[in-house]
Structure formats: structure tokens, C-alpha cells
């Protein structure tokens, strides 16, 4: 595929054309940054969620799952710091009237310098060939060193100003770096202002007695407020975790890039409760564990990197992102945060109730510390989907478009295709679907020539096509075609289930991790 933005456009149009993602309320011209998952998209999303859920809850006897409500008592958000501090710095360009996140403008500027460095490294690698020592080059090349230093200084200053809420300095930084509006090219900026990202709503029928509520901006607080309930009813001993998946809402200032940044999205979060003093150890363990979960999908080690935070959120003593190489560059996919005892202690203060654990080994009660892993399901969807979409040139020059999903994540695992719509082939094909559907999602497809049906299943990412022909009626065998290799083999109908199941089950994926 050609350049980044072309590939991204292809991702978006393929997602729509093949029934993965539709703009929300499209017949009313859509709603900005809100999307619906379509028939194939919801299946892919469910499979990703299942992989995450089972990796957390099924594989760990000390992690349990809950499903808390989206609406919570409003004081929750005072205690969590979201009412006062869940802000993004916004800036408007006076010429284009476009609104931006001030920190993102600076980060995009930094990404451009990073791209320069990478270009320099690539060029040198080409020039020096086999003798090229990348680490040495990065450590000694004056231009690379100068650019790296520049990046460090900018990010440090941005981090500091945001931490101190020195918004005038954020603007000064944008001006000093001569950052212009990507739309108009103008550098005529307004002052930087804070903007709270929570969506407000109301509970109650009459306007004067209604209670102001928020749609939750993260799922984590539903876990914190249930910490004692779960610990007591589950007789959980520290360390233990509570996992949850569910919708979260943020009134993002700039929501672009398709499902990367949405206003309504889904999170998969796990809060791991630990004794104070062990947070570094658990933070490292969860960083490693989460990276392994990603790598088990086989999408390529080079697609991921850690980004340790300079600027920490108000609740954290360490934080790192797992970044993924999206079609528009490396961006955050997941966060691993050491949240200290901030949330539980704060809920103690606001409720006057003890949220403590009696540790029989230490013979004392304390507020547990927390390490959390937090991943956006929609971002994970985008990572899997954009990585899967390929255009391959076949022998003879034809192009096939294929979604190379990891097999266990594919919406449909097998498609059964009667070669023709007569002679009893459809009936046998339907029998096969009826046999396989108990164990994995199997579809029936009889429209068009078989070659075109193969192409359609490739474009949907279906791992196996099962073709029923006249010989099948005689000897109970079929052709099994595999998506990635396009190899076809003749196998007995009786062997289909065992041959396919091992390759497409979530259990197979879990065993690799
Ligand atoms: P960003 O810096 O991209 O705004 P964040 O650091 O605010 O993200 P967290 O609060 O750590 O994000 O949320 C955890 C995860 O939730 C993120 O890693 C991301 O995958 C997902 N996420 C956050 N905001 C959005 C959004 N607006 N749309 C889709 N996914 C999101």
C-alpha cells in the first residue's frame, strides 16, 4: 500500500463497505466522532473483548470480573479528581476558527522531529549496509543527538507547564516553536484554556429537583467503589484484581482519526490491588504481561513500543503507554498506571467510610495500592483491523484484498460454499454448517462463482472456506481452503471440526500467551 493517509482511507472505506463500522445515525448525516459497529465489526469486537476477558479473569485465579453501572453517584467524580482536573488544554486558531488540543499540537511537532531522526537512521543504514550499528549511530551522529535533545527539552517543558497549569507558557511554547494551524497555516492563536471532558446529564423528572450526574469518563471508578464489596464477598486476599469492560464517555475537544478518538468508547480495565511498597514490582510485571498479550496475536514485535510518561496524572507515581504503529504513526493503545492509594484514600475521605484491607501477614490494616491496566477496545479494534488489511498481487497480476486477522479474532471462522446451487450440493453444505455452528461461527454462501466467493470471504477475513462439490456427495470429502496461504486440500467432512477448531479458538490464542 502507498502512503499512510491512503492506507488509512482504505481502512475506513473497507470497514464501511464490508459491514464492520458505520457512522452513527448515518441517515441523519452522522454524529461527529460517534460510530456504530456493524454485523462483522461487532463480532470482531466481541472476540477481542473475549480474548482480553479470558486472559484476565479465566487465566488468573486472583482476578475477578464485574460490570458496574455507567451512572454513578456524582461525588465519585469529585473524589476521583475528574471534576477539578479532567481537563484538556484547548486553543483556537483565529484564522481557521479550528479548535485544537494545545498539548497535541506540540506533540505533533515533536513527532515530526522524530520522523526526521528515523529518516536519518534509515538513510545511514542504507549507506553502511551490513556494517551499520544502529545504536552507535544514534549515540554519536550530531544531527540525531541534537534532535533528540530538542525533543527532550520540548517535552519536559510541556510536561512542567501542564503540571503547573501554566497555560500561558503552553501558548508561549507553541509560539516559540512557530507551530502553525495545520488547516490554515496561520499562527494567530487564542490563549490556551482548560476544558472539562465529562458529559453531564440529569437524573430525575422535574427540572428543579433533578440531580446533576456525569456519564462515566472511565470504568475504573466503578471498580474502586466496589473494592470492599468484591473483597469481602469473594474472600479475596491481596494481591488480587478486578476486571471490567464497558462504555466510557469523553467530550473530546478534537475527535478525529476514525475510531481512534471517540466521544463514546469502550474500555477494558483491570485494577490490581497490592500491598503498599510492592507497586514497582507489580507495575513491571503488568507491563510485561500486557505486552505478551499483544505479541501473542502475532501482529509483529516491531509494531509496539513502550512510552514511559514524563508528565504523570494526578493519581499516578509511574505510568507507561503501550504504543502501536497505527496507519498514522505510533500512538497510545494501552496505559499501565501505578495509581498508588490515591483513589481508595480519596473515596475514604469523601464517604467517611474505611476502604481498607487487613493483611494477616503484616498484621495491619491499610489502604491498598493499585496498578491498573487500561486499554481502549475500539483502539484495539483499529490496531487489529488496520494491521490486517492487505492488498496482495497474485500470480497473473490480479489483486486480492484480504483481512489477515489472527484466526481466533475473525468474525466468521468458516464459510461453506456449494459449488453450484443444484444437485443436492446446497443441502449438503447446509448440513455441514449445521454441524459446525455449535463450535464456531460458520456461514453459508451460495451467491456468485466460487472464485468471487473466495475473494469476498478474504475481504471479510474468514480463515477457512469449505467448498462442497459433486465428489462430496460420493465420498464425503470437501475442499478446505485456507485464507493466508490460499492452499486447498481435500479432507473428509468428518475431520472438518477437529482441523479447524484448534486454529480458530480463543483457547489457542490464550495458550500462546
Ligand atoms: P489519550 O492521551 O489518547 O487521550 P488517555 O491517556 O487520556 O488517552 P486513558 O485515560 O489512559 O487515555 O484511557 C485508557 C485507554 O482508553 C487509552 O489507552 C485508550 O486506548 C482508550 N481511550 C481513551 N480515550 C479514548 C477515546 N476518546 N476514544 C477511544 N479510546 C480512548
Amino acid at each position: 500500500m502507498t502512503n499512510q493517509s491512503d492506507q488509512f482511507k482504505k481502512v475506513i472505506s473497507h470497514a464501511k463497505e464490508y459491514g464492520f463500522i458505520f457512522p452513527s445515525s448515518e441517515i441523519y448525516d452522522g454524529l461527529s466522532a460517534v460510530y456504530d459497529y456493524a454485523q462483522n465489526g461487532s463480532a470482531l469486537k466481541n472476540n477481542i473483548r473475549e480474548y482480553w476477558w479470558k486472559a484476565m479473569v479465566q487465566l488468573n485465579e486472583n482476578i475477578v470480573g464485574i460490570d458496574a453501572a455507567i451512572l454513578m453517584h456524582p461525588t465519585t467524580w469529585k473524589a476521583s479528581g475528574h471534576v477539578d482536573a479532567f481537563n484538556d488544554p484547548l486553543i483556537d486558531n483565529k484564522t481557521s476558527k479550528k479548535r485544537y488540543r494545545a498539548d497535541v499540537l506540540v506533540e505533533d511537532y515533536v513527532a515530526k522531529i522524530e520522523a526526521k531522526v528515523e529518516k536519518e537512521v534509515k538513510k545511514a543504514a542504507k549507506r553502511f549496509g551490513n556494517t551499520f550499528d544502529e545504536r552507535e549511530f544514534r549515540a554519536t551522529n550530531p544531527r540525531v543527538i541534537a534532535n533528540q535533545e530538542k525533543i527532550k527539552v520540548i517535552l519536559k517543558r510541556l510536561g512542567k507547564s501542564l503540571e503547573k497549569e501554566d497555560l500561558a507558557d503552553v501558548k508561549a511554547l507553541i509560539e516559540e516553536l512557530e507551530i502553525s494551524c495545520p488547516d490554515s497555516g496561520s499562527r494567530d492563536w487564542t490563549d490556551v484554556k482548560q476544558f472539562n471532558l465529562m458529559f453531564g446529564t440529569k437524573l430525575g423528572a422535574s427540572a428543579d429537583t433533578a440531580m446533576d450526574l456525569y456519564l462515566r469518563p472511565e470504568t475504573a471508578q466503578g471498580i474502586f467503589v466496589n473494592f470492599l464489596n468484591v473483597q469481602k464477598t469473594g474472600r479475596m486476599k491481596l494481591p488480587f484484581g478486578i476486571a471490567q469492560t464497558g462504555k466510557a464517555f469523553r467530550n473530546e475537544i478534537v475527535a478525529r482519526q476514525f475510531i481512534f478518538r471517540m466521544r463514546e468508547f469502550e474500555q477494558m480495565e483491570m485494577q490490581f490491588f497490592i500491598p503498599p511498597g510492592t507497586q514497582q514490582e507489580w507495575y513491571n510485571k503488568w507491563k510485561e504481561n500486557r505486552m505478551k498479550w499483544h505479541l501473542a496475536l502475532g501482529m509483529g514485535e516491531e509494531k509496539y513500543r513502550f512510552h514511559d510518561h514524563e508528565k504523570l496524572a494526578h493519581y499516578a507515581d509511574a505510568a507507561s503507554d503501550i504504543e502501536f504503529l497505527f496507519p498514522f504513526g505510533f500512538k497510545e493503545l494501552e496505559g499501565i498506571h501505578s495509581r498508588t492509594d490515591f483513589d481508595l484514600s480519596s473515596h475514604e475521605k469523601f464517604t467517611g467510610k474505611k476502604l481498607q484491607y487487613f493483611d494477616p501477614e503484616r498484621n495491619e490494616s491499610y489502604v491498598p495500592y493499585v496498578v491498573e491496566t487500561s486499554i481502549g477496545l475500539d483502539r484495539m479494534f483499529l490496531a487489529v483491523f488496520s494491521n490486517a488489511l492487505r492488498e496482495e498481487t497474485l500470480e497473473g497480476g490480479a489483486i486480492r484484498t484480504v483481512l489477515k486477522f489472527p484466526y481466533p479474532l475473525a468474525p466468521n471462522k468458516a464459510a461453506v460454499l456449494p459449488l453450484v446451487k443444484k444437485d443436492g450440493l446446497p443441502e449438503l453444505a447446509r448440513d455441514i454448517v449445521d454441524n459446525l455452528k455449535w463450535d464456531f461461527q460458520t456461514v453459508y454462501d451460495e451467491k456468485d462463482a466460487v472464485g468471487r466467493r473466495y475473494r469476498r470471504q478474504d475481504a471479510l477475513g474468514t480463515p477457512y472456506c469449505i467448498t462442497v462439490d459433486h465428489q462430496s456427495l460420493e465420498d464425503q470429502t470437501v475442499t478446505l481452503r485456507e485464507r493466508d496461504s490460499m492452499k486447498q486440500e481435500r479432507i473428509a467432512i468428518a475431520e472438518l471440526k477437529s482441523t479447524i477448531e484448534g486454529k480458530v479458538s480463543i483457547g489457542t490464542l490464550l495458550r500462546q500467551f
Side-chain angles (χ1 to χ4, degrees):
M1 281 185 188
T2 46
N3 68 34
Q4 285 190 351
S5 72
D6 273 1
Q7 200 217 333
F8 193 34
K9 276 189 203 141
K10 283 182 181 168
V11 165
I12 297 169
S13 66
H14 195 88
K16 166 100 197 281
E17 195 181 335
Y18 285 89
F20 284 86
I21 295 174
F22 302 144
S24 158
S25 13
E26 197 187 8
I27 57 170
Y28 290 97
D29 293 334
L31 182 64
S32 159
V34 186
Y35 292 92
D36 294 340
Y37 285 86
Q39 64 277 21
N40 294 307
S42 59
L44 172 60
K45 194 177 174 201
N46 283 341
N47 294 339
I48 297 173
R49 193 192 294 105
E50 185 183 349
Y51 174 43
W52 182 88
W53 185 266
K54 290 191 165 167
M56 286 294 176
V57 177
Q58 191 167 307
L59 295 193
N60 296 289
E61 61 180 80
N62 62 347
I63 298 182
V64 293
I66 66 165
D67 185 9
I70 287 171
L71 300 177
M72 298 184 70
H73 192 283
T75 314
T76 310
W77 306 109
K78 196 80 195 140
S80 67
H82 283 82
V83 171
D84 296 320
F86 196 53
N87 302 317
D88 273 343
L90 73 81
I91 189 165
D92 291 303
N93 185 272
K94 291 183 197 160
T95 314
S96 67
K97 310 265 180 284
K98 289 250 161 158
R99 178 159 281 187
Y100 297 92
R101 257 174 70 176
D103 54 336
V104 172
L105 282 180
V106 177
E107 280 162 11
D108 285 349
Y109 179 87
V110 163
K112 279 193 197 136
I113 313 179
E114 260 171 6
K116 257 196 218 159
V117 170
E118 293 315 312
K119 214 168 151 190
E120 195 103 38
V121 173
K122 255 199 197 140
K123 232 171 63 195
K126 219 169 167 185
R127 191 154 22 104
F128 292 111
N130 286 343
T131 58
F132 183 60
D133 180 343
E134 185 176 328
R135 192 178 296 184
E136 167 90 10
F137 180 79
R138 284 182 190 272
T140 54
N141 179 281
R143 270 196 306 270
V144 170
I145 295 173
N147 275 327
Q148 293 292 17
E149 186 54 31
K150 196 168 165 190
I151 291 174
K152 223 163 110 190
V153 171
I154 295 172
L155 289 182
K156 204 160 197 160
R157 174 153 162 212
L158 177 68
K160 273 229 168 84
S161 326
L162 289 176
E163 211 166 286
K164 287 189 299 183
E165 292 220 23
D166 185 352
L167 299 181
D169 192 58
V170 178
K171 182 176 182 193
L173 182 61
I174 288 173
E175 284 174 341
E176 279 166 42
L177 297 174
E178 302 190 342
I179 296 175
S180 54
C181 167
D183 193 60
S184 63
S186 136
R187 295 209 291 265
D188 194 4
W189 296 109
T190 62
D191 286 343
V192 178
K193 282 184 291 207
Q194 290 290 29
F195 175 77
N196 193 290
L197 300 184
M198 283 197 294
F199 278 103
T201 186
K202 286 192 185 292
L203 180 108
S206 87
D208 13 309
T209 57
M211 188 180 196
D212 285 314
L213 294 188
Y214 296 103
L215 300 182
R216 66 180 177 195
E218 62 175 26
T219 56
Q221 297 305 324
I223 291 178
F224 289 123
V225 299
N226 279 302
F227 160 72
L228 261 196
N229 282 338
V230 173
Q231 192 268 320
K232 291 221 161 107
T233 56
R235 295 179 302 158
M236 309 300 289
K237 286 203 178 74
L238 249 57
F240 77 91
I242 304 178
Q244 166 166 236
T245 72
K247 286 282 175 96
F249 302 82
R250 296 182 187 178
N251 198 0
E252 299 278 359
I253 297 173
V254 186
R256 309 195 193 96
Q257 295 174 313
F258 195 34
I259 57 168
F260 180 81
R261 189 173 299 287
M262 301 157 94
R263 299 206 160 98
E264 172 182 342
F265 59 101
E266 190 163 339
Q267 288 187 312
M268 307 192 284
E269 296 199 299
M270 194 280 298
Q271 316 289 321
F272 200 68
F273 298 91
I274 53 173
T278 62
Q279 64 267 36
Q280 189 64 43
E281 174 199 335
W282 283 109
Y283 171 68
N284 292 339
K285 274 194 188 153
W286 279 109
K287 268 176 79 174
E288 195 187 317
N289 177 294
R290 292 304 302 148
M291 188 55 104
K292 268 198 185 150
W293 182 89
H294 286 286
L295 294 181
L297 288 168
M299 301 204 292
E301 218 168 308
E302 71 290 349
K303 300 276 166 57
Y304 303 87
R305 69 182 189 194
F306 280 112
H307 168 240
D308 295 329
H309 282 209
E310 293 266 339
K311 177 197 169 226
L312 293 173
H314 58 277
Y315 53 75
D317 73 354
S320 185
D321 297 336
I322 293 177
E323 295 186 337
F324 183 79
L325 186 55
F326 287 98
F328 37 82
F330 271 106
K331 294 272 178 219
E332 172 177 343
L333 171 60
E334 168 157 13
I336 296 115
H337 311 126
S338 173
R339 286 181 86 124
T340 68
D341 60 353
F342 172 84
D343 300 270
L344 289 180
S345 296
S346 189
H347 287 306
E348 276 199 335
K349 268 182 231 135
F350 277 84
T351 59
K353 296 189 179 113
K354 281 214 175 318
L355 294 175
Q356 302 197 353
Y357 171 77
F358 176 74
D359 186 331
E361 274 163 43
R362 296 190 184 188
N363 197 25
E364 60 172 350
S365 290
Y366 52 76
V367 178
Y369 270 45
V370 171
V371 170
E372 99 175 334
T373 72
S374 172
I375 175 168
L377 176 50
D378 314 86
R379 275 194 200 175
M380 188 61 199
F381 183 110
L382 183 58
V384 170
F385 192 89
S386 59
N387 183 71
L389 185 61
R390 317 276 166 89
E391 281 180 353
E392 292 180 347
T393 310
L394 304 176
E395 267 174 49
I399 305 256
R400 83 156 176 159
T401 301
V402 53
L403 277 170
K404 289 193 163 176
F405 296 133
Y407 285 5
L409 299 186
N412 299 313
K413 308 305 195 244
V416 187
L417 325 171
L419 190 62
V420 289
K421 274 194 268 183
K422 55 182 186 187
D423 305 335
L425 300 190
E427 289 75 9
L428 179 55
R430 290 224 182 262
D431 277 352
I432 295 174
V433 173
D434 284 343
N435 261 317
L436 296 180
K437 70 181 181 190
W438 308 100
D439 299 295
F440 41 83
Q441 183 74 33
T442 311
V443 290
Y444 174 84
D445 187 5
E446 62 172 23
K447 200 166 170 284
D448 298 330
V450 80
R452 290 184 65 177
R453 280 180 269 168
Y454 285 154
R455 288 288 164 279
R456 185 157 62 230
Q457 294 302 330
D458 284 345
L460 291 167
T462 310
Y464 292 102
C465 284
I466 298 160
T467 308
V468 176
D469 57 17
H470 291 93
Q471 191 188 329
S472 310
L473 297 173
E474 286 159 25
D475 65 2
Q476 295 290 302
T477 65
V478 287
T479 305
L480 182 66
R481 174 190 182 268
E482 204 228 337
R483 182 194 70 197
D484 291 356
S485 63
M486 292 188 286
K487 279 209 183 104
Q488 303 189 12
E489 57 168 333
R490 198 85 204 170
I491 80 162
I493 292 171
E495 281 168 28
L496 282 171
K497 173 175 161 346
S498 59
T499 309
I500 298 173
E501 196 175 27
K503 299 269 175 39
V504 302
S505 78
I506 293 282
T508 301
L509 197 51
L510 290 169
R511 275 189 196 91
Q512 280 158 22
F513 140 70

